[in-house]
Amino acid sequence: MEVKILTSSQYFRLLMLIYGVMLLAQVGTGAVFFFLRSTQEEVMQNNAELGEIFQYLIPILILMPFLGWFLSKSTLKKLKENDPLSDKLRTYQSTILVKYAFFEGASLFSLIAYFLTGTNMYLGIAAGLVLFFLSQIPTPKRLSAEVPLSLIDESKLNDPDAEVAEVPLKD
């Protein structure tokens, strides 16, 4: 199987692309739901039965980002400083993807609850989750704080042209 070698700057661009797409999905869905709900208010009915169910589900789902954060921390703790940098970066990438998915899942579920019930509190919860998601932007400094790196690994990550990771290509 062929692999593509990524430089440090390409690796962080890839992480920012993933982050940006997930952020755009949350904000875009929220904007569409808000627009539809505000322009079609006379047609859309507030579903009281669903509202009762969501008032119990949403607080549980707010814990999802914290669960994702906990899972990512426990996965990254298993990494050793002397592991190959490429392996550490691959693990970090998959770990933050899972962590971001937990954020996105909770946010989208809150938006769906808002859309179906018309309860502004759910829209506010989704907005709060998006704001919390904004604090999770992938940076070299955050990676250094979360992944055990040797001095050589850190110097490679700080050099934008250094080859740091391998990505398998589809055949």
Side-chain angles (χ1 to χ4, degrees):
M1 178 177 9
E2 289 186 57
V3 294
K4 179 179 180 358
I5 306 293
L6 295 180
T7 64
S8 178
S9 64
Q10 289 172 328
Y11 176 76
F12 284 106
R13 244 185 276 135
L14 176 65
L15 292 182
M16 283 301 295
L17 177 68
I18 293 167
Y19 177 82
V21 167
M22 294 185 103
L23 179 63
L24 184 64
Q26 294 173 70
V27 172
T29 303
V32 168
F33 283 178
F34 180 76
F35 174 75
L36 289 174
R37 195 77 181 144
S38 62
T39 59
Q40 304 296 322
E41 202 163 316
E42 64 276 350
V43 178
M44 297 189 73
Q45 299 173 2
N46 294 340
N47 194 327
E49 294 87 26
L50 277 178
E52 290 177 19
I53 294 170
F54 286 140
Q55 76 181 14
Y56 296 109
L57 286 178
I58 296 294
I60 294 169
L61 289 173
I62 290 175
L63 298 175
M64 282 180 60
F66 298 106
L67 178 63
W69 177 80
F70 175 75
L71 289 174
S72 71
K73 287 291 183 195
S74 64
T75 301
L76 294 175
K77 278 186 179 180
K78 295 176 186 173
L79 293 175
K80 304 284 186 264
E81 190 174 308
N82 57 354
D83 290 343
L85 179 61
S86 184
D87 292 347
K88 288 189 250 185
L89 294 180
R90 194 173 320 116
T91 302
Y92 182 74
Q93 180 181 348
S94 62
T95 300
I96 66 167
L97 197 92
V98 169
K99 180 170 77 170
Y100 291 167
F102 276 88
F103 273 94
E104 190 171 20
S107 172
L108 292 177
F109 193 84
S110 294
L111 289 169
I112 290 168
Y114 162 73
F115 184 69
L116 293 175
T117 64
T119 306
N120 288 333
M121 180 181 67
Y122 301 141
L123 182 63
I125 290 171
L129 288 169
V130 168
L131 289 175
F132 188 35
F133 185 76
L134 285 171
S135 71
Q136 301 299 310
I137 190 164
T139 61
K141 187 176 180 179
R142 180 179 298 275
L143 187 143
S144 297
E146 294 179 353
V147 176
L149 297 173
S150 66
L151 292 175
I152 295 171
D153 293 342
E154 262 191 78
S155 67
K156 282 184 178 180
L157 285 175
N158 292 329
D159 178 8
D161 297 324
E163 295 178 348
V164 294
E166 296 175 352
V167 177
L169 298 175
K170 288 187 175 182
D171 292 330

